[in-house]
Amino acid sequence: MSGIIFFLALPITQFKNFQFFGFLFAFVSFIAAILFLLKFRRFQKGEEGEIVVNKILKSLYKYYLANHVHTPGYGDIDHLLIRKNGIFIIETKNYNGNVEVNVDEWYVNGTKIKSPSIQIKKTAAKLKEILGINIWLNCLIVPIIDGKLNVKNPTVDIVKLNKLVHFIYKKRSSIPKEELLSFKDKIRQLQSSEDKITLKGLFNSWWFVNY
């Protein structure tokens, strides 16, 4: 009751100030909501792309697959695939329009963006550091776009979605089976270590088929 009396006793100028700040708060809230929806849509689109790639990877013959592997300070590895012909770190990227890649520089509709090539190489190096290993990791980016893809002298493998399975099958590796299985075990041992590497996200699952 005392709060109501205080409000009614305010000068008209202060009441106008309340109106102004109320309008300002509503405007800021509206802008924040729009930004959140845009960010959520980008996140949702990214998740949709990862689901498609995940289904394709699960169609492979003999594999070990982990999704959404977290490396502190370097983001998530969308997919980590272990097969007898190598270890693959796979990133899915969704873009609207035309994409051009020149060495490590990426452009979407003519605008330069943060380089997924540099990011995936840093992530692979961090993963090797965490696990204390020195074996070859295949860095692979799968761009899902609705425009044209133009690639020149890339420093990592960039593969279209419809060629992903063929690309993985044709890869050759000299890594002994014992080292591959050791790598898999190290990943699993660190799975629950929050300060090193964890599984999280939509899939939160491991698949080990006939290795």
Side-chain angles (χ1 to χ4, degrees), residues 93-108:
K93 296 297 179 183
N94 296 267
Y95 300 113
N96 291 320
N98 300 319
V99 176
E100 182 178 351
V101 182
N102 186 5
V103 190
D104 276 332
E105 295 184 344
W106 284 63
Y107 299 85
V108 177

Side-chain angles (χ1 to χ4, degrees), residues 17-209:
N17 286 339
F18 274 119
Q19 284 184 315
F20 170 76
F21 285 115
F23 172 78
L24 182 62
F25 177 78
F27 177 75
V28 171
S29 300
F30 174 75
I31 296 299
I34 294 296
L35 293 175
F36 172 79
L37 289 174
L38 290 174
K39 185 176 182 179
F40 176 77
R41 179 54 190 155
R42 288 195 296 269
F43 171 80
Q44 186 181 45
K45 186 176 180 181
E47 287 286 297
E48 290 171 356
E50 291 170 24
I51 290 173
V52 172
V53 172
N54 181 64
K55 288 181 178 179
I56 290 175
L57 294 176
K58 286 171 65 177
S59 72
L60 295 170
Y61 176 67
K62 293 186 177 181
Y63 65 88
Y64 186 88
L65 175 63
N67 296 294
H68 284 217
V69 179
H70 182 62
T71 53
Y74 288 84
D76 288 356
I77 297 173
D78 292 340
H79 315 281
L80 194 155
L81 177 72
I82 305 174
R83 299 189 74 250
K84 63 181 180 181
N85 62 331
I87 301 170
F88 302 83
I89 291 180
I90 304 171
E91 291 294 320
T92 303
K93 296 297 179 183
N94 296 267
Y95 300 113
N96 291 320
N98 300 319
V99 176
E100 182 178 351
V101 182
N102 186 5
V103 190
D104 276 332
E105 295 184 344
W106 284 63
Y107 299 85
V108 177
N109 297 321
T111 301
K112 189 175 182 178
I113 64 171
K114 184 177 179 180
S115 174
S117 303
I118 293 175
Q119 182 64 34
I120 195 173
K121 287 186 291 185
K122 287 182 177 180
T123 301
K126 181 65 175 179
L127 182 63
K128 291 168 71 172
E129 177 188 331
I130 291 171
L131 299 179
I133 60 173
N134 188 28
I135 59 178
W136 180 255
L137 302 178
N138 296 287
C139 294
L140 174 59
I141 299 174
V142 182
I144 300 178
I145 61 176
D146 54 10
K148 295 181 180 179
L149 176 64
N150 184 19
V151 179
K152 297 178 182 177
N153 305 314
T155 59
V156 299
D157 293 313
I158 301 173
V159 183
K160 291 182 178 179
L161 191 64
N162 61 349
K163 296 182 179 180
L164 179 58
V165 171
H166 175 71
F167 177 87
I168 292 173
Y169 276 144
K170 75 176 184 179
K171 273 289 184 179
R172 294 293 178 264
S173 173
S174 59
I175 303 175
K177 180 178 180 179
E178 292 72 21
E179 287 192 33
L180 292 174
L181 293 175
S182 175
F183 177 84
K184 178 203 70 174
D185 290 339
K186 287 183 177 182
I187 289 287
R188 296 197 68 174
Q189 288 170 9
L190 293 172
Q191 175 181 345
S192 60
S193 177
E194 293 182 358
D195 61 339
K196 291 187 177 179
I197 183 170
T198 58
L199 282 179
K200 66 175 188 177
L202 176 65
F203 309 113
N204 196 28
S205 59
W206 291 79
W207 303 87
F208 187 36
V209 178

